Amino acid sequence: MDPRRILLAISGGIAAYKAPELLRALRKAGHDVRCALTPEAERFVSPLVLQSLSGRSVRRNLFDAGEEGEIDHIGLADWAELVLVAPATANLLAKMAHGLADDLVSTVLLATRAPVLVAPAMNVNMWSHPATATNAAILRSRGVSFVGPDAGELACGWEGLGRMSEPARIAEAVAACLTSKSLAGERVLVTAGGTAEAIDSVRTITNRSSGKMGFAIAAEAARRGAEVVLVAGISTQPTPFGVRRIDVGSALAMREAVLAEFEAAGIVIKAAAVADFRPAAPADRKLKKEDLPESGRLTLELVQNPDILAEICLRKGDRIVVGFAAESHDVVGAAQRKLARKGCDLIVANDISRRDAGFEVDQNAVVFVWPDQQVEELPLLDKSGVAAQLLDRVEKLRTRR
Ligand code: PMT
């Protein structure tokens, strides 16, 4: 993502202590960040820390000659390409909803024409109070975006909705706000992760897919404004911001979930590593050593799983369907044969014999294989970079649809 100018507005709640971590995440993503604090926020976070991390002086006062000299409050409101309010207290949400401008932060929020993203943090009863609910609804209706609040243990001792989302999650939401919504109105179905095929009630046959590749695609599609459904096999990856996730275990369960979501989808991207075979007769209890025959050998009979990609390609209509191919040799040749056999619009081939790409790692080196035999080889990229390149190609296909 291109570096952008972000104003981080911090209001006075305990969650303000997470602001430096959030600021670091935004700086790491390359953004230029200025901080503005309400008078109460200073009680929870040190302006000096924010100044050191942002490399910019911190704004606190509306009518301070020194502060206004560097950049006045209207200049600050105009400078921002995004205003992020984190944490956003119930008081600040109320001021925003009703147009109050009695300190620097609320004044800048009234003056800015930049998109605004808020990360609320407060006591569960304050969040669920009809006054706050109405204020949040007013702000949403004006196009203000929300990330969180999340449920959990609150600093006040209560449990429930009210925790500020984690800084990494807020940084994801920032990226989503800043990305052009080129896939708005599109429903994208992505599969990710490996499947697990039961041998008995505790053991499975699975593979090394972490889900990182498919999750990166789902995250990028959501950033581009698509409605994204992620059918996830075995994966410990966190659900990307704005994505609806359906967890499945086996290939059969993945098939069921994909077929249920397929009709409503315009784009389908199948990055999951689906097991081609499953044990024919999984035991419904844990197999014990005593169950083994005298030979000490256990023979597993495997049956073939349905090929989900081939099945959906048979009735794809004008949908765009992208498959992946995990190959260890003759990568392009094998992917071309796979594409011809399955009938998708594009195959993303990756060489899984490489240690720096493919399964588990954060990067991938892929080749786009097209039906007309053309191939496009990409350099080693972060999986988010591969996802962006892939969706650029998918968007081109979409314009031809
Ligand atoms: O998850 P990561 O750790 O980030 O790793 C990423 C990845 C290597 C798993 C990913 O980049 C990848 O290559 N995914 C596809 C893995 C795979 O199963 O490839 P395949 O060549 O066996 O299958 C070809 C295509 O058919 C795939 O789109 C697959 O989802 C689909 N398929 C396969 C078998 C089956 N029974 N049903 C299917 O739909």
Side-chain angles (χ1 to χ4, degrees):
M1 163 162 301
D2 293 337
R4 307 295 274 272
R5 298 185 303 273
I6 298 175
L7 176 64
L8 172 57
I10 305 168
S11 58
I14 178 72
Y17 84 91
K18 291 183 184 169
E21 195 185 335
L22 175 57
L23 173 53
R24 285 190 60 187
L26 297 173
R27 295 282 293 139
K28 205 170 157 204
H31 301 303
D32 184 2
V33 187
R34 288 179 186 262
C35 296
L37 276 71
T38 65
E40 296 76 22
E42 273 187 64
R43 297 168 184 250
F44 296 97
V45 62
S46 150
L48 189 57
V49 170
L50 299 170
Q51 180 175 313
S52 309
L53 292 175
S54 66
R56 297 278 204 172
S57 57
V58 171
R59 289 294 319 258
R60 292 177 273 178
N61 299 299
L62 188 51
F63 298 119
D64 180 288
E67 284 188 23
E68 285 281 298
E70 191 195 330
I71 181 167
D72 68 40
H73 57 278
I74 300 298
L76 191 59
D78 292 342
W79 171 86
E81 291 177 273
L82 175 81
V83 182
L84 166 63
V85 189
T89 58
N91 183 50
L92 187 56
L93 293 179
K95 284 194 199 180
M96 289 170 71
H98 297 282
L100 269 67
D102 62 353
D103 61 15
L104 175 83
V105 166
S106 53
T107 304
V108 168
L109 280 163
L110 196 60
T112 190
R113 289 294 167 263
V116 177
L117 171 68
V118 296
M122 65 197 74
N123 164 269
V124 58
N125 292 336
M126 291 169 78
W127 175 248
S128 61
H129 194 287
T132 307
T134 305
N135 290 335
I138 291 172
L139 293 173
R140 283 197 177 95
S141 73
R142 289 188 198 137
V144 172
S145 305
F146 280 67
V147 50
D150 295 344
E153 202 179 310
L154 306 177
C156 54
W158 282 72
E159 284 257 348
L161 270 184
R163 278 175 72 89
M164 186 173 85
S165 295
E166 289 306 316
R169 184 93 180 152
I170 299 175
E172 277 188 332
V174 165
C177 284
L178 291 173
T179 305
S180 87
K181 303 297 175 226
S182 46
L183 284 175
E186 192 69 74
R187 173 87 73 101
V188 179
L189 171 59
V190 182
T191 69
T195 62
E197 311 300 324
I199 297 172
D200 63 16
S201 62
V202 294
R203 302 178 180 96
T204 60
I205 300 175
T206 186
N207 59 61
R208 286 171 35 222
S209 172
S210 62
K212 286 178 183 173
M213 187 66 252
F215 277 60
I217 296 166
E220 180 63 21
R223 277 194 287 274
R224 295 181 184 210
E227 194 184 324
V228 184
V229 182
L230 173 62
V231 176
I234 309 306
S235 175
T236 55
Q237 295 298 303
T239 310
F241 177 73
V243 167
R244 176 158 67 87
R245 173 177 182 165
I246 302 171
D247 284 304
V248 295
S250 64
L252 290 181
M254 182 169 280
R255 173 179 175 272
E256 203 174 303
V258 167
L259 293 184
E261 296 294 334
F262 174 70
E263 287 304 325
I267 296 168
V268 184
I269 303 177
K270 295 209 71 264
V274 186
D276 286 321
F277 303 96
R278 68 180 185 278
D284 55 7
R285 59 191 178 89
K286 183 181 172 193
L287 291 173
K288 300 252 188 213
K289 283 197 260 315
E290 305 86 85
D291 298 333
L292 287 180
E294 261 180 32
S295 66
R297 291 178 179 209
L298 179 66
T299 305
L300 278 179
E301 193 191 345
L302 300 179
V303 291
Q304 205 171 345
N305 272 326
D307 187 322
I308 312 167
L309 178 59
E311 190 175 345
I312 61 172
C313 281
L314 283 177
R315 46 184 166 122
K316 76 188 213 22
D318 64 357
R319 291 177 190 80
I320 295 164
V321 178
V322 178
F324 269 70
E327 308 295 344
S328 55
H329 54 280
D330 184 21
V331 175
V332 171
Q336 283 170 331
R337 288 190 290 280
K338 216 164 252 182
L339 183 136
R341 209 169 52 241
K342 305 208 186 201
C344 40
D345 296 293
L346 168 65
I347 283 263
V348 184
N350 39 200
D351 180 351
I352 50 163
S353 66
R354 286 177 65 151
R355 294 172 69 109
D356 58 353
F359 286 111
E360 293 170 316
V361 292
D362 291 335
Q363 296 183 311
N364 209 355
V366 304
V367 182
F368 294 138
V369 177
W370 297 93
D372 63 2
Q373 304 287 309
Q374 276 202 49
V375 293
E376 273 183 87
E377 192 172 343
L378 265 57
L380 187 67
L381 293 170
D382 272 357
K383 284 180 174 168
S384 57
V386 173
Q389 292 285 335
L390 171 58
L391 288 176
D392 286 349
R393 305 307 187 279
V394 167
E395 285 188 23
K396 279 200 188 124
L397 284 175
R398 191 173 167 240
T399 56
R400 284 186 229 142
R401 191 165 62 182

